[in-house]
């Protein structure tokens, strides 16, 4: 999502809004997970964005049991490519409906 938001800044006109909408749709998943496990959504999302921005932060995600940001690879939570592909498709569909 962060990379899409950065890409949107480099695009002129209304086309940038599609990138922003997709980025926002992709953030719904971790936001919903944080909300459902009772975490402070704003703090967890801010922490997650900060950790994704650092080198080696690509495996960071939300621990659904504790409501904290954790290394999902170390927790043994790995999504397959098919899951990520479907998530992206769903995000694009949601953005198109906006």
């Amino acid at each position: 999502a962060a990379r899409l938001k950065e890409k949107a800044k480099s695009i002129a006109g209304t086309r940038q809004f599609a990138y922003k909408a997709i980025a926002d749709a992709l953030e719904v998943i971790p936001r919903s997970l944080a909300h459902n496990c009772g975490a402070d959504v704003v703090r967890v999302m801010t922490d997650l964005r900060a950790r994704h921005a650092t080198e080696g932060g690509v495996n960071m995600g939300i621990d659904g049991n504790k409501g904290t940001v954790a290394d999902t690879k170390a927790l043994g939570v790995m999504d397959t490519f098919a899951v990520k592909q479907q998530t992206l498709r769903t995000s694009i569909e949601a953005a198109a409906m906006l």
Side-chain angles (χ1 to χ4, degrees), residues 34-54:
H35 179 74
N36 289 341
C37 67
D40 182 350
V41 177
V42 174
R43 286 187 181 167
V44 170
M45 291 302 295
T46 303
D47 188 19
L48 183 62
R49 285 188 199 107
R51 292 193 191 197
H52 277 171
T54 63

Side-chain angles (χ1 to χ4, degrees), residues 17-18 21-22 25 88-98:
F17 296 122
I22 293 169
L88 187 57
R89 284 182 182 162
T90 304
S91 299
I92 292 170
E93 289 174 8
M97 290 190 324
L98 297 176

